[in-house]
PDB file of all heavy atoms in Angstrom:
ATOM      1  N   LEU H 198      91.540 129.940 119.686  1.00 98.00           N
ATOM      2  CA  LEU H 198      92.507 130.385 118.681  1.00 98.00           C
ATOM      3  C   LEU H 198      91.835 131.281 117.654  1.00 98.00           C
ATOM      4  O   LEU H 198      90.746 130.965 117.162  1.00 98.00           O
ATOM      5  CB  LEU H 198      93.065 129.145 117.966  1.00 98.00           C
ATOM      6  CG  LEU H 198      93.876 129.358 116.683  1.00 98.00           C
ATOM      7  CD1 LEU H 198      95.221 130.005 116.985  1.00 98.00           C
ATOM      8  CD2 LEU H 198      94.074 128.017 115.959  1.00 98.00           C
ATOM      9  N   LEU H 199      92.477 132.403 117.329  1.00 98.00           N
ATOM     10  CA  LEU H 199      92.019 133.213 116.202  1.00 98.00           C
ATOM     11  C   LEU H 199      92.687 132.634 114.964  1.00 98.00           C
ATOM     12  O   LEU H 199      93.896 132.769 114.778  1.00 98.00           O
ATOM     13  CB  LEU H 199      92.400 134.688 116.393  1.00 98.00           C
ATOM     14  CG  LEU H 199      91.540 135.468 117.397  1.00 98.00           C
ATOM     15  CD1 LEU H 199      91.968 135.169 118.826  1.00 98.00           C
ATOM     16  CD2 LEU H 199      91.606 136.962 117.121  1.00 98.00           C
ATOM     17  N   LEU H 200      91.885 131.936 114.161  1.00 98.00           N
ATOM     18  CA  LEU H 200      92.431 131.164 113.043  1.00 98.00           C
ATOM     19  C   LEU H 200      92.147 131.858 111.716  1.00 98.00           C
ATOM     20  O   LEU H 200      91.003 132.027 111.319  1.00 98.00           O
ATOM     21  CB  LEU H 200      91.798 129.762 113.036  1.00 98.00           C
ATOM     22  CG  LEU H 200      92.227 128.808 111.917  1.00 98.00           C
ATOM     23  CD1 LEU H 200      93.708 128.480 111.978  1.00 98.00           C
ATOM     24  CD2 LEU H 200      91.406 127.515 111.971  1.00 98.00           C
ATOM     25  N   SER H 201      93.227 132.285 111.045  1.00 95.00           N
ATOM     26  CA  SER H 201      93.075 132.863 109.709  1.00 95.00           C
ATOM     27  C   SER H 201      93.442 131.779 108.711  1.00 95.00           C
ATOM     28  O   SER H 201      93.661 130.636 109.084  1.00 95.00           O
ATOM     29  CB  SER H 201      94.011 134.065 109.559  1.00 95.00           C
ATOM     30  OG  SER H 201      95.343 133.610 109.438  1.00 95.00           O
ATOM     31  N   GLY H 202      93.533 132.122 107.464  1.00 93.00           N
ATOM     32  CA  GLY H 202      93.940 131.122 106.480  1.00 93.00           C
ATOM     33  C   GLY H 202      95.440 131.105 106.255  1.00 93.00           C
ATOM     34  O   GLY H 202      95.929 130.459 105.338  1.00 93.00           O
ATOM     35  N   GLY H 203      96.169 131.839 107.091  1.00 94.00           N
ATOM     36  CA  GLY H 203      97.610 132.002 106.876  1.00 94.00           C
ATOM     37  C   GLY H 203      98.445 130.835 107.377  1.00 94.00           C
ATOM     38  O   GLY H 203      97.923 129.803 107.783  1.00 94.00           O
ATOM     39  N   ILE H 204      99.742 131.031 107.362  1.00 96.00           N
ATOM     40  CA  ILE H 204     100.661 129.968 107.776  1.00 96.00           C
ATOM     41  C   ILE H 204     100.761 129.910 109.305  1.00 96.00           C
ATOM     42  O   ILE H 204     100.897 128.842 109.890  1.00 96.00           O
ATOM     43  CB  ILE H 204     102.068 130.228 107.181  1.00 96.00           C
ATOM     44  CG1 ILE H 204     102.017 130.101 105.662  1.00 96.00           C
ATOM     45  CG2 ILE H 204     103.107 129.264 107.756  1.00 96.00           C
ATOM     46  CD1 ILE H 204     103.307 130.545 104.969  1.00 96.00           C
ATOM     47  N   ASP H 205     100.662 131.072 109.926  1.00 97.00           N
ATOM     48  CA  ASP H 205     101.035 131.159 111.337  1.00 97.00           C
ATOM     49  C   ASP H 205     100.007 130.631 112.336  1.00 97.00           C
ATOM     50  O   ASP H 205     100.350 129.866 113.239  1.00 97.00           O
ATOM     51  CB  ASP H 205     101.358 132.620 111.692  1.00 97.00           C
ATOM     52  CG  ASP H 205     102.445 133.197 110.787  1.00 97.00           C
ATOM     53  OD1 ASP H 205     103.301 132.424 110.342  1.00 97.00           O
ATOM     54  OD2 ASP H 205     102.410 134.404 110.523  1.00 97.00           O
ATOM     55  N   SER H 206      98.773 131.073 112.189  1.00 98.00           N
ATOM     56  CA  SER H 206      97.829 130.752 113.266  1.00 98.00           C
ATOM     57  C   SER H 206      97.575 129.254 113.458  1.00 98.00           C
ATOM     58  O   SER H 206      97.448 128.815 114.610  1.00 98.00           O
ATOM     59  CB  SER H 206      96.524 131.541 113.109  1.00 98.00           C
ATOM     60  OG  SER H 206      96.079 131.557 111.789  1.00 98.00           O
ATOM     61  N   PRO H 207      97.536 128.433 112.389  1.00 98.00           N
ATOM     62  CA  PRO H 207      97.375 126.995 112.668  1.00 98.00           C
ATOM     63  C   PRO H 207      98.535 126.434 113.484  1.00 98.00           C
ATOM     64  O   PRO H 207      98.329 125.590 114.358  1.00 98.00           O
ATOM     65  CB  PRO H 207      97.343 126.346 111.277  1.00 98.00           C
ATOM     66  CG  PRO H 207      97.184 127.447 110.290  1.00 98.00           C
ATOM     67  CD  PRO H 207      97.575 128.714 110.944  1.00 98.00           C
ATOM     68  N   ALA H 209     100.317 128.134 115.647  1.00 98.00           N
ATOM     69  CA  ALA H 209     100.137 128.628 117.016  1.00 98.00           C
ATOM     70  C   ALA H 209      99.123 127.758 117.764  1.00 98.00           C
ATOM     71  O   ALA H 209      99.310 127.426 118.942  1.00 98.00           O
ATOM     72  CB  ALA H 209      99.671 130.080 116.990  1.00 98.00           C
ATOM     73  N   ILE H 223      88.174 130.392 116.262  1.00 98.00           N
ATOM     74  CA  ILE H 223      87.199 131.299 115.662  1.00 98.00           C
ATOM     75  C   ILE H 223      87.840 131.904 114.411  1.00 98.00           C
ATOM     76  O   ILE H 223      89.012 132.288 114.419  1.00 98.00           O
ATOM     77  CB  ILE H 223      86.757 132.411 116.653  1.00 98.00           C
ATOM     78  CG1 ILE H 223      85.703 133.318 115.984  1.00 98.00           C
ATOM     79  CG2 ILE H 223      87.940 133.230 117.160  1.00 98.00           C
ATOM     80  CD1 ILE H 223      85.019 134.273 116.960  1.00 98.00           C
ATOM     81  N   HIS H 224      87.061 131.906 113.350  1.00 97.00           N
ATOM     82  CA  HIS H 224      87.529 132.532 112.115  1.00 97.00           C
ATOM     83  C   HIS H 224      86.586 133.676 111.741  1.00 97.00           C
ATOM     84  O   HIS H 224      85.370 133.522 111.800  1.00 97.00           O
ATOM     85  CB  HIS H 224      87.564 131.513 110.976  1.00 97.00           C
ATOM     86  CG  HIS H 224      87.894 132.139 109.648  1.00 97.00           C
ATOM     87  ND1 HIS H 224      89.136 132.686 109.385  1.00 97.00           N
ATOM     88  CD2 HIS H 224      87.142 132.344 108.535  1.00 97.00           C
ATOM     89  CE1 HIS H 224      89.133 133.194 108.151  1.00 97.00           C
ATOM     90  NE2 HIS H 224      87.940 132.999 107.622  1.00 97.00           N
ATOM     91  N   PHE H 225      87.167 134.801 111.356  1.00 96.00           N
ATOM     92  CA  PHE H 225      86.365 135.944 110.938  1.00 96.00           C
ATOM     93  C   PHE H 225      86.272 135.944 109.422  1.00 96.00           C
ATOM     94  O   PHE H 225      87.272 136.088 108.719  1.00 96.00           O
ATOM     95  CB  PHE H 225      86.974 137.240 111.488  1.00 96.00           C
ATOM     96  CG  PHE H 225      86.947 137.268 112.978  1.00 96.00           C
ATOM     97  CD1 PHE H 225      88.053 136.859 113.724  1.00 96.00           C
ATOM     98  CD2 PHE H 225      85.795 137.640 113.653  1.00 96.00           C
ATOM     99  CE1 PHE H 225      88.020 136.840 115.111  1.00 96.00           C
ATOM    100  CE2 PHE H 225      85.744 137.627 115.040  1.00 96.00           C
ATOM    101  CZ  PHE H 225      86.860 137.227 115.766  1.00 96.00           C
ATOM    102  N   ASP H 226      85.052 135.764 108.976  1.00 94.00           N
ATOM    103  CA  ASP H 226      84.804 135.524 107.560  1.00 94.00           C
ATOM    104  C   ASP H 226      84.159 136.769 106.938  1.00 94.00           C
ATOM    105  O   ASP H 226      83.181 137.283 107.472  1.00 94.00           O
ATOM    106  CB  ASP H 226      83.849 134.330 107.451  1.00 94.00           C
ATOM    107  CG  ASP H 226      83.657 133.885 106.021  1.00 94.00           C
ATOM    108  OD1 ASP H 226      84.222 134.522 105.116  1.00 94.00           O
ATOM    109  OD2 ASP H 226      82.939 132.896 105.815  1.00 94.00           O
ATOM    110  N   SER H 227      84.738 137.245 105.853  1.00 89.00           N
ATOM    111  CA  SER H 227      84.207 138.454 105.217  1.00 89.00           C
ATOM    112  C   SER H 227      83.529 138.164 103.886  1.00 89.00           C
ATOM    113  O   SER H 227      83.516 139.012 102.993  1.00 89.00           O
ATOM    114  CB  SER H 227      85.331 139.474 105.013  1.00 89.00           C
ATOM    115  OG  SER H 227      85.919 139.788 106.240  1.00 89.00           O
ATOM    116  N   PHE H 261      81.893 138.703 109.512  1.00 93.00           N
ATOM    117  CA  PHE H 261      82.644 139.918 109.820  1.00 93.00           C
ATOM    118  C   PHE H 261      82.422 140.996 108.772  1.00 93.00           C
ATOM    119  O   PHE H 261      82.966 142.081 108.869  1.00 93.00           O
ATOM    120  CB  PHE H 261      84.134 139.514 109.865  1.00 93.00           C
ATOM    121  CG  PHE H 261      84.996 140.421 110.693  1.00 93.00           C
ATOM    122  CD1 PHE H 261      84.714 140.646 112.029  1.00 93.00           C
ATOM    123  CD2 PHE H 261      86.105 141.039 110.140  1.00 93.00           C
ATOM    124  CE1 PHE H 261      85.523 141.473 112.807  1.00 93.00           C
ATOM    125  CE2 PHE H 261      86.905 141.873 110.911  1.00 93.00           C
ATOM    126  CZ  PHE H 261      86.615 142.080 112.241  1.00 93.00           C
ATOM    127  N   ILE H 278      93.720 148.189 109.997  1.00 89.00           N
ATOM    128  CA  ILE H 278      94.119 146.866 110.510  1.00 89.00           C
ATOM    129  C   ILE H 278      94.035 146.838 112.038  1.00 89.00           C
ATOM    130  O   ILE H 278      93.535 145.890 112.637  1.00 89.00           O
ATOM    131  CB  ILE H 278      95.575 146.527 110.088  1.00 89.00           C
ATOM    132  CG1 ILE H 278      95.691 146.478 108.574  1.00 89.00           C
ATOM    133  CG2 ILE H 278      96.037 145.240 110.728  1.00 89.00           C
ATOM    134  CD1 ILE H 278      95.384 145.151 107.952  1.00 89.00           C
ATOM    135  N   MET H 281      90.444 146.682 113.018  1.00 94.00           N
ATOM    136  CA  MET H 281      89.903 145.378 112.676  1.00 94.00           C
ATOM    137  C   MET H 281      90.316 144.341 113.720  1.00 94.00           C
ATOM    138  O   MET H 281      89.510 143.563 114.203  1.00 94.00           O
ATOM    139  CB  MET H 281      90.460 144.989 111.313  1.00 94.00           C
ATOM    140  CG  MET H 281      89.696 143.951 110.603  1.00 94.00           C
ATOM    141  SD  MET H 281      90.287 143.888 108.885  1.00 94.00           S
ATOM    142  CE  MET H 281      91.733 142.901 109.064  1.00 94.00           C
ATOM    143  N   ARG H 282      91.606 144.362 114.076  1.00 95.00           N
ATOM    144  CA  ARG H 282      92.099 143.407 115.077  1.00 95.00           C
ATOM    145  C   ARG H 282      91.451 143.636 116.443  1.00 95.00           C
ATOM    146  O   ARG H 282      91.157 142.698 117.160  1.00 95.00           O
ATOM    147  CB  ARG H 282      93.605 143.565 115.241  1.00 95.00           C
ATOM    148  CG  ARG H 282      94.396 143.041 114.128  1.00 95.00           C
ATOM    149  CD  ARG H 282      94.653 141.550 114.293  1.00 95.00           C
ATOM    150  NE  ARG H 282      95.566 141.150 113.248  1.00 95.00           N
ATOM    151  CZ  ARG H 282      95.184 140.879 112.006  1.00 95.00           C
ATOM    152  NH1 ARG H 282      93.902 140.858 111.709  1.00 95.00           N
ATOM    153  NH2 ARG H 282      96.060 140.589 111.078  1.00 95.00           N
ATOM    154  N   MET H 285      88.187 141.986 116.289  1.00 98.00           N
ATOM    155  CA  MET H 285      88.356 140.520 116.370  1.00 98.00           C
ATOM    156  C   MET H 285      88.611 140.081 117.809  1.00 98.00           C
ATOM    157  O   MET H 285      88.031 139.109 118.287  1.00 98.00           O
ATOM    158  CB  MET H 285      89.521 140.062 115.496  1.00 98.00           C
ATOM    159  CG  MET H 285      89.267 140.129 114.006  1.00 98.00           C
ATOM    160  SD  MET H 285      90.742 139.502 113.127  1.00 98.00           S
ATOM    161  CE  MET H 285      90.238 139.733 111.427  1.00 98.00           C
ATOM    162  N   PHE H 286      89.486 140.800 118.474  1.00 98.00           N
ATOM    163  CA  PHE H 286      89.824 140.429 119.854  1.00 98.00           C
ATOM    164  C   PHE H 286      88.601 140.524 120.773  1.00 98.00           C
ATOM    165  O   PHE H 286      88.382 139.663 121.608  1.00 98.00           O
ATOM    166  CB  PHE H 286      90.953 141.336 120.384  1.00 98.00           C
ATOM    167  CG  PHE H 286      92.339 140.793 120.136  1.00 98.00           C
ATOM    168  CD1 PHE H 286      92.706 140.323 118.885  1.00 98.00           C
ATOM    169  CD2 PHE H 286      93.273 140.748 121.169  1.00 98.00           C
ATOM    170  CE1 PHE H 286      93.990 139.823 118.653  1.00 98.00           C
ATOM    171  CE2 PHE H 286      94.557 140.245 120.951  1.00 98.00           C
ATOM    172  CZ  PHE H 286      94.920 139.783 119.708  1.00 98.00           C
ATOM    173  N   VAL H 302      94.454 132.740 121.701  1.00 98.00           N
ATOM    174  CA  VAL H 302      95.726 132.352 121.076  1.00 98.00           C
ATOM    175  C   VAL H 302      95.775 132.980 119.689  1.00 98.00           C
ATOM    176  O   VAL H 302      94.783 132.924 118.949  1.00 98.00           O
ATOM    177  CB  VAL H 302      95.811 130.815 120.910  1.00 98.00           C
ATOM    178  CG1 VAL H 302      97.157 130.415 120.302  1.00 98.00           C
ATOM    179  CG2 VAL H 302      95.581 130.098 122.237  1.00 98.00           C
ATOM    180  N   THR H 303      96.909 133.590 119.339  1.00 97.00           N
ATOM    181  CA  THR H 303      97.055 134.124 117.983  1.00 97.00           C
ATOM    182  C   THR H 303      98.375 133.660 117.374  1.00 97.00           C
ATOM    183  O   THR H 303      99.259 133.173 118.069  1.00 97.00           O
ATOM    184  CB  THR H 303      97.057 135.673 117.947  1.00 97.00           C
ATOM    185  OG1 THR H 303      98.327 136.129 118.421  1.00 97.00           O
ATOM    186  CG2 THR H 303      95.951 136.266 118.778  1.00 97.00           C
ATOM    187  N   GLY H 304      98.475 133.872 116.064  1.00 96.00           N
ATOM    188  CA  GLY H 304      99.699 133.497 115.352  1.00 96.00           C
ATOM    189  C   GLY H 304     100.655 134.668 115.198  1.00 96.00           C
ATOM    190  O   GLY H 304     101.511 134.652 114.315  1.00 96.00           O
ATOM    191  N   GLU H 305     100.497 135.680 116.023  1.00 93.00           N
ATOM    192  CA  GLU H 305     101.377 136.847 115.906  1.00 93.00           C
ATOM    193  C   GLU H 305     102.824 136.503 116.252  1.00 93.00           C
ATOM    194  O   GLU H 305     103.089 135.692 117.133  1.00 93.00           O
ATOM    195  CB  GLU H 305     100.878 137.963 116.835  1.00 93.00           C
ATOM    196  CG  GLU H 305      99.582 138.589 116.358  1.00 93.00           C
ATOM    197  CD  GLU H 305      98.874 139.343 117.466  1.00 93.00           C
ATOM    198  OE1 GLU H 305      98.597 138.753 118.518  1.00 93.00           O
ATOM    199  OE2 GLU H 305      98.596 140.530 117.272  1.00 93.00           O
ATOM    200  N   GLN H 309     106.867 140.810 112.606  1.00 69.00           N
ATOM    201  CA  GLN H 309     106.708 140.184 111.298  1.00 69.00           C
ATOM    202  C   GLN H 309     106.045 141.115 110.276  1.00 69.00           C
ATOM    203  O   GLN H 309     106.483 141.201 109.145  1.00 69.00           O
ATOM    204  CB  GLN H 309     105.893 138.891 111.438  1.00 69.00           C
ATOM    205  CG  GLN H 309     105.989 138.006 110.224  1.00 69.00           C
ATOM    206  CD  GLN H 309     105.084 136.795 110.343  1.00 69.00           C
ATOM    207  OE1 GLN H 309     103.905 136.857 110.035  1.00 69.00           O
ATOM    208  NE2 GLN H 309     105.643 135.704 110.821  1.00 69.00           N
ATOM    209  N   VAL H 310     104.976 141.774 110.676  1.00 71.00           N
ATOM    210  CA  VAL H 310     104.311 142.743 109.799  1.00 71.00           C
ATOM    211  C   VAL H 310     103.912 143.963 110.616  1.00 71.00           C
ATOM    212  O   VAL H 310     104.074 143.977 111.837  1.00 71.00           O
ATOM    213  CB  VAL H 310     103.035 142.136 109.135  1.00 71.00           C
ATOM    214  CG1 VAL H 310     103.401 141.068 108.128  1.00 71.00           C
ATOM    215  CG2 VAL H 310     102.087 141.592 110.177  1.00 71.00           C
ATOM    216  N   SER H 312     101.251 145.174 111.780  1.00 69.00           N
ATOM    217  CA  SER H 312     100.342 145.070 112.924  1.00 69.00           C
ATOM    218  C   SER H 312     100.976 144.265 114.063  1.00 69.00           C
ATOM    219  O   SER H 312     100.346 144.011 115.067  1.00 69.00           O
ATOM    220  CB  SER H 312      99.038 144.418 112.503  1.00 69.00           C
ATOM    221  OG  SER H 312      99.286 143.112 112.044  1.00 69.00           O
ATOM    222  N   GLN H 313     102.229 143.859 113.885  1.00 82.00           N
ATOM    223  CA  GLN H 313     102.844 143.033 114.916  1.00 82.00           C
ATOM    224  C   GLN H 313     104.081 143.677 115.546  1.00 82.00           C
ATOM    225  O   GLN H 313     104.950 143.007 116.078  1.00 82.00           O
ATOM    226  CB  GLN H 313     103.147 141.643 114.351  1.00 82.00           C
ATOM    227  CG  GLN H 313     101.846 140.940 113.959  1.00 82.00           C
ATOM    228  CD  GLN H 313     102.041 139.598 113.287  1.00 82.00           C
ATOM    229  OE1 GLN H 313     103.091 138.985 113.416  1.00 82.00           O
ATOM    230  NE2 GLN H 313     101.032 139.136 112.574  1.00 82.00           N
ATOM    231  N   LEU H 333     104.193 131.927 118.854  1.00 96.00           N
ATOM    232  CA  LEU H 333     105.186 132.133 117.799  1.00 96.00           C
ATOM    233  C   LEU H 333     106.013 133.392 118.016  1.00 96.00           C
ATOM    234  O   LEU H 333     106.835 133.749 117.155  1.00 96.00           O
ATOM    235  CB  LEU H 333     104.502 132.226 116.430  1.00 96.00           C
ATOM    236  CG  LEU H 333     103.476 131.149 116.082  1.00 96.00           C
ATOM    237  CD1 LEU H 333     103.011 131.307 114.642  1.00 96.00           C
ATOM    238  CD2 LEU H 333     104.059 129.767 116.276  1.00 96.00           C
ATOM    239  N   LYS H 338     110.058 133.424 110.396  1.00 93.00           N
ATOM    240  CA  LYS H 338     109.146 132.825 109.422  1.00 93.00           C
ATOM    241  C   LYS H 338     109.617 131.448 108.965  1.00 93.00           C
ATOM    242  O   LYS H 338     108.808 130.553 108.742  1.00 93.00           O
ATOM    243  CB  LYS H 338     108.983 133.768 108.220  1.00 93.00           C
ATOM    244  CG  LYS H 338     107.768 133.471 107.369  1.00 93.00           C
ATOM    245  CD  LYS H 338     106.473 133.946 108.028  1.00 93.00           C
ATOM    246  CE  LYS H 338     105.236 133.462 107.306  1.00 93.00           C
ATOM    247  NZ  LYS H 338     104.004 134.039 107.909  1.00 93.00           N
ATOM    248  N   ASP H 360      92.522 136.350 102.248  1.00 62.00           N
ATOM    249  CA  ASP H 360      91.636 136.485 103.404  1.00 62.00           C
ATOM    250  C   ASP H 360      91.378 137.972 103.602  1.00 62.00           C
ATOM    251  O   ASP H 360      91.866 138.808 102.852  1.00 62.00           O
ATOM    252  CB  ASP H 360      92.205 135.783 104.644  1.00 62.00           C
ATOM    253  CG  ASP H 360      93.447 136.467 105.191  1.00 62.00           C
ATOM    254  OD1 ASP H 360      93.812 137.539 104.675  1.00 62.00           O
ATOM    255  OD2 ASP H 360      94.044 135.918 106.121  1.00 62.00           O
ATOM    256  N   CYS H 361      90.591 138.290 104.611  1.00 57.00           N
ATOM    257  CA  CYS H 361      90.179 139.684 104.745  1.00 57.00           C
ATOM    258  C   CYS H 361      91.390 140.608 104.907  1.00 57.00           C
ATOM    259  O   CYS H 361      91.377 141.735 104.459  1.00 57.00           O
ATOM    260  CB  CYS H 361      89.216 139.841 105.910  1.00 57.00           C
ATOM    261  SG  CYS H 361      89.930 139.318 107.458  1.00 57.00           S
ATOM    262  N   CYS H 362      92.429 140.077 105.528  1.00 55.00           N
ATOM    263  CA  CYS H 362      93.557 140.961 105.820  1.00 55.00           C
ATOM    264  C   CYS H 362      94.340 141.325 104.569  1.00 55.00           C
ATOM    265  O   CYS H 362      94.684 142.473 104.353  1.00 55.00           O
ATOM    266  CB  CYS H 362      94.460 140.319 106.839  1.00 55.00           C
ATOM    267  SG  CYS H 362      93.522 139.742 108.247  1.00 55.00           S
ATOM    268  N   THR H 363      94.596 140.325 103.730  1.00 56.00           N
ATOM    269  CA  THR H 363      95.337 140.653 102.517  1.00 56.00           C
ATOM    270  C   THR H 363      94.522 141.611 101.649  1.00 56.00           C
ATOM    271  O   THR H 363      95.074 142.417 100.910  1.00 56.00           O
ATOM    272  CB  THR H 363      95.694 139.379 101.717  1.00 56.00           C
ATOM    273  OG1 THR H 363      94.620 138.472 101.798  1.00 56.00           O
ATOM    274  CG2 THR H 363      96.925 138.733 102.275  1.00 56.00           C
TER     275      THR H 363
HETATM  276  P1  ATP P   7      98.474 134.147 109.828  1.00 56.81           P
HETATM  277  O1  ATP P   7      99.465 133.440 108.980  1.00 56.81           O
HETATM  278  O2  ATP P   7      98.097 133.386 111.045  1.00 56.81           O
HETATM  279  O3  ATP P   7      97.324 134.710 109.069  1.00 56.81           O
HETATM  280  P2  ATP P   7      99.797 136.601 109.553  1.00 56.81           P
HETATM  281  O4  ATP P   7     101.268 136.594 109.598  1.00 56.81           O
HETATM  282  O5  ATP P   7      99.115 136.710 108.252  1.00 56.81           O
HETATM  283  O6  ATP P   7      99.277 135.383 110.391  1.00 56.81           O
HETATM  284  P3  ATP P   7      98.186 138.731 110.447  1.00 56.81           P
HETATM  285  O7  ATP P   7      97.380 138.618 109.221  1.00 56.81           O
HETATM  286  O8  ATP P   7      98.747 140.021 110.876  1.00 56.81           O
HETATM  287  O9  ATP P   7      99.376 137.748 110.519  1.00 56.81           O
HETATM  288  O10 ATP P   7      97.300 138.192 111.632  1.00 56.81           O
HETATM  289  C1  ATP P   7      97.762 138.117 112.952  1.00 56.81           C
HETATM  290  C2  ATP P   7      96.892 137.138 113.726  1.00 56.81           C
HETATM  291  O11 ATP P   7      95.543 137.612 113.802  1.00 56.81           O
HETATM  292  C3  ATP P   7      96.767 135.801 113.029  1.00 56.81           C
HETATM  293  O12 ATP P   7      97.841 134.958 113.337  1.00 56.81           O
HETATM  294  C4  ATP P   7      95.486 135.273 113.576  1.00 56.81           C
HETATM  295  O13 ATP P   7      95.665 134.735 114.888  1.00 56.81           O
HETATM  296  C5  ATP P   7      94.630 136.550 113.697  1.00 56.81           C
HETATM  297  N1  ATP P   7      93.785 136.714 112.489  1.00 56.81           N
HETATM  298  C6  ATP P   7      94.058 137.425 111.398  1.00 56.81           C
HETATM  299  N2  ATP P   7      93.038 137.366 110.508  1.00 56.81           N
HETATM  300  C7  ATP P   7      92.097 136.571 111.040  1.00 56.81           C
HETATM  301  C8  ATP P   7      90.801 136.093 110.633  1.00 56.81           C
HETATM  302  N3  ATP P   7      90.270 136.428 109.446  1.00 56.81           N
HETATM  303  N4  ATP P   7      90.121 135.279 111.474  1.00 56.81           N
HETATM  304  C9  ATP P   7      90.654 134.935 112.665  1.00 56.81           C
HETATM  305  N5  ATP P   7      91.845 135.349 113.105  1.00 56.81           N
HETATM  306  C10 ATP P   7      92.569 136.156 112.316  1.00 56.81           C
END
Side-chain angles (χ1 to χ4, degrees):
L198 168 70
L199 284 79
L200 179 63
S201 73
I204 294 171
D205 304 329
S206 44
I223 181 169
H224 174 67
F225 296 95
D226 187 358
S227 302
F261 204 57
I278 299 272
M281 200 168 81
R282 287 275 187 278
M285 288 182 182
F286 269 48
V302 182
T303 75
E305 289 161 304
Q309 195 185 84
V310 291
S312 62
Q313 297 175 20
L333 312 186
K338 198 76 189 185
D360 68 5
C361 59
C362 310
T363 38

